[in-house]
């Protein structure tokens, strides 16, 4: 198996903290290594350039004096000049005639007599009249040396060549010392950097690990836990948002539990009543025609109640899931209100409750007429349940800017201030006096239908008697102008 294939799973087993440490330390080593390489390369280039410039200046100065001595034919003084300026151990100074003969040298090595000087590096260029600088192995030893060769010219005559070279052993020693110093500094930097990277990785990975544990706890249903991460960065903002999400999940879980408990209770009541009624009929109550008729009516009523509750639960589920598709069209508001009031007119007459519809102008709204009629029927049904015999239910519609406001007002016992924020919740039972039949889902369904239309529904706090529910809906776009 290739090494990369084995390394990948091994790296994949590292946790976030270890990955941060390895990655950041690797980047630190890479950057430090690149910086050290550039520094050492720049140091070597600078030293070579400086050495070349110094060697060139000295060679040109010696070439001027050597030219004067060659014009005079004074080879003795030329050799003295060469020995004086070539005295340092790392310097080699020679003067070569145009025909390749060695005229003067600072080395005095027997091997110099066997050297073919025109073939020495730099000599061909200098004999051709060009000064040249370069690096080549030494002529006597194998050490690298930097050299500078200068032609000696007087007028149109070339009198010879001055070639001075200097050993690079000192440069190489300085380079080695510099490398050792820089590597030691790099090691210190890496040790300190590794400590800083470890601290940084631990500080960055800790909140991530806490969030992971927090998410696992939420997955187990532990909605009471909270993250204690206070940071002024994105991780702090994420932790705060996760805490808010946990609060919302806890609230939703509470609503779910309450809904299931209430739904179970509401379903159990008609089923129990129906079961008792059927048991009574099976036990002989059906032999009495009057009793049989009453029990059958009770069974029909409980079946109707159960069917209504189930339908309301289905409608509410579809609305909350967003599965209900609205078919909004420009619709006459009067037609929808009249349709909703006609639907409860029979029950209102039975209770001697009057229905009053008040529209001061013809209004057109952009709605799904079926759904808005359902919402209005839920609100009217709620008003009818709490209206006294001989009472009045008013339905008033008025235009307010680009919206229409519909107020349904009854003359019942009203809604307590503490209960008003909760009347649109499912199965709300804070005030048992207002639970007079029905599924307890009507206002919850009405609110979701109105919300889906971009409208609002709330309890009006102004009436001193009875309850008033206010629905606002957008007018049709063509009607707003």
């Amino acid at each position: 198996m290739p090494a990369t294939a084995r390394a990948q799973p091994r790296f994949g087993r590292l946790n976030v903290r270890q990955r941060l440490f390895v990655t950041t330390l690797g980047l630190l080593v890479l950057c430090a290594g690149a910086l050290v390489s550039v520094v050492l390369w720049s140091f070597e280039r600078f030293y070579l350039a400086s050495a070349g410039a110094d060697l060139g200046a000295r060679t040109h100065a010696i070439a001027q004096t050597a030219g004067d001595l060659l014009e005079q034919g004074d080879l003795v003084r030329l050799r003295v000049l060469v020995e004086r300026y070539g005295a340092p151990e790392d310097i080699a100074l020679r003067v070569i005639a145009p025909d390749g003969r060695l005229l003067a040298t600072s080395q005095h090595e027997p091997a110099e007599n066997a050297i073919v000087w025109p073939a020495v590096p730099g000599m061909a260029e200098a004999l051709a009249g060009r000064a040249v600088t370069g690096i080549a192995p030494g002529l006597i030893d194998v050490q690298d040396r930097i050299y500078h060769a200068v032609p000696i010219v007087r007028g149109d005559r070339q009198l010879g060549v001055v070639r001075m070279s200097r050993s690079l052993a000192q440069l190489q020693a300085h380079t080695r010392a510099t490398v050792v110093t820089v590597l030691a500094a790099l090691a210190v930097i890496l040790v300190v950097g590794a400590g800083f990277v470890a601290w940084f990785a631990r500080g960055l990975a800790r909140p991530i690990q806490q969030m992971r544990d927090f998410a696992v706890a939420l997955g187990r249903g532990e909605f009471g836990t909270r993250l204690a991460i206070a940071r002024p960065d994105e991780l702090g903002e994420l932790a705060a948002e996760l805490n808010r999400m946990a609060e919302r999940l806890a609230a939703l879980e509470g609503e779910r539990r309450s809904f299931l408990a209430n739904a179970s209770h509401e379903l159990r009541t008609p089923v129990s009543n129906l079961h008792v009624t059927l048991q009574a009929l099976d036990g002989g109550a059906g032999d009495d025609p009057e009793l049989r008729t009453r029990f059958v009516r009770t069974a029909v009523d409980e079946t109707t109640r159960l069917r209504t509750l189930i339908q309301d639960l289905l409608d509410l589920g579809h609305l909350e899931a967003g599965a209900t598709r609205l078919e909004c069209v420009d619709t006459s508001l009067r037609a929808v209100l009249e349709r909703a009031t006609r639907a409860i007119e029979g029950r209102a007459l039975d209770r001697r409750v009057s229905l009053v519809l008040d529209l001061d102008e013809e209004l057109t709204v952009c709605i799904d007429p079926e759904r808005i009629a359902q919402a209005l029927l839920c609100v009217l049904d709620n008003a009818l349940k709490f209206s006294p015999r001989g009472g009045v239910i008013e339905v008033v519609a008025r235009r307010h800017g680009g919206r229409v406001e519909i107020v349904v007002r009854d003359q019942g016992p009203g809604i307590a201030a503490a209960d008003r924020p909760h009347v649109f919740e499912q199965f709300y039972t804070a005030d048992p006096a207002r639970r007079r039949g029905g599924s307890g889902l009507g206002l919850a369904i009405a609110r979701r239908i109105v919300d889906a239309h971009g409208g609002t529904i709330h309890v009006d706090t102004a009436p001193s008697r009875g309850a008033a529910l206010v629905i606002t809906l957008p007018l049709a776009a063509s009607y707003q102008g």
Side-chain angles (χ1 to χ4, degrees), residues 38 231 243 248 308:
V38 171
R231 296 169 60 107
N243 284 333
R248 292 193 293 269
T308 302

Side-chain angles (χ1 to χ4, degrees), residues 100-399:
R101 291 179 297 109
L102 182 63
L103 299 177
T105 178
S106 63
Q107 299 300 103
H108 300 293
E109 293 288 343
E112 289 182 308
N113 296 324
I115 296 175
V116 181
W117 290 104
V120 171
M123 287 299 300
E125 293 84 351
L127 290 173
R130 299 191 307 273
V132 62
T133 301
I135 297 176
L139 301 177
I140 305 302
D141 52 33
V142 294
Q143 293 182 350
D144 289 338
R145 305 178 70 88
I146 182 171
Y147 65 84
H148 190 80
V150 179
I152 304 173
V153 180
R154 287 293 185 271
D156 56 353
R157 291 186 309 120
Q158 184 172 6
L159 303 179
V161 173
V162 176
R163 186 180 188 277
M164 178 180 281
S165 65
R166 183 175 183 179
S167 174
L168 293 178
Q170 185 178 4
L171 169 62
Q172 293 168 347
H174 287 169
T175 301
R176 286 193 295 270
T178 302
V179 169
V180 172
T181 303
V182 170
L183 290 179
L186 178 61
V188 173
I189 292 174
L190 290 180
V191 171
V192 175
F196 174 78
V197 168
W199 171 82
F200 172 77
R202 183 171 59 252
L204 191 60
R206 185 185 299 113
I208 296 176
Q209 293 170 343
Q210 291 176 348
M211 293 178 193
R212 179 202 61 188
D213 297 338
F214 178 73
V216 172
L218 289 182
R220 292 196 300 261
E222 300 174 7
F223 301 119
T225 59
R226 294 294 181 269
L227 285 169
I229 299 176
R231 296 169 60 107
D233 55 10
E234 290 81 357
L235 288 176
E237 295 175 0
L238 179 59
E241 188 59 37
L242 287 174
N243 284 333
R244 286 191 290 270
M245 182 187 71
E247 293 174 0
R248 292 193 293 269
L249 288 174
L252 290 173
E253 177 64 13
E255 292 180 5
R256 185 187 70 85
R257 292 175 182 269
S258 176
F259 176 81
L260 290 176
N262 288 324
S264 299
H265 173 74
E266 294 295 334
L267 288 170
R268 183 168 56 247
T269 300
V271 170
S272 298
N273 293 340
L274 185 59
H275 179 69
V276 170
T277 301
L278 294 177
Q279 276 187 330
L281 290 172
D282 186 56
D287 296 338
D288 184 350
E290 182 180 350
L291 193 60
R292 182 177 64 247
T293 300
R294 190 175 64 186
F295 279 3
V296 169
R297 173 52 55 189
T298 299
V300 171
D301 290 343
E302 293 301 330
T303 304
T304 302
R305 180 182 174 189
L306 186 60
R307 183 187 63 187
T308 302
L309 178 60
I310 293 173
Q311 186 60 49
D312 287 346
L313 286 172
L314 290 174
D315 288 343
L316 186 62
H318 289 157
L319 288 168
E320 289 187 338
T324 301
R325 180 179 179 182
L326 298 180
E327 298 180 359
C328 295
V329 294
D330 291 351
T331 306
S332 169
L333 181 61
R334 179 181 294 275
V336 177
L337 293 177
E338 290 177 348
R339 175 182 173 185
T341 54
R342 281 197 305 268
I344 68 164
E345 193 171 18
R347 286 182 290 155
L349 289 175
D350 290 341
R351 301 188 57 177
R352 297 180 183 177
V353 175
S354 301
L355 297 173
V356 177
L357 182 59
D358 181 9
L359 279 81
D360 62 350
E361 61 177 312
E362 290 296 329
L363 299 172
T364 303
V365 288
C366 183
I367 59 172
D368 183 332
E370 294 295 330
R371 288 299 176 182
I372 291 298
Q374 181 184 5
L376 287 170
L377 190 57
C378 290
V379 175
L380 288 169
D381 183 68
N382 183 77
L384 181 60
K385 283 190 296 184
F386 302 106
S387 293
R389 295 182 69 84
V392 177
I393 297 176
E394 296 179 90
V395 180
V396 181
R398 294 288 185 269
R399 176 179 179 176

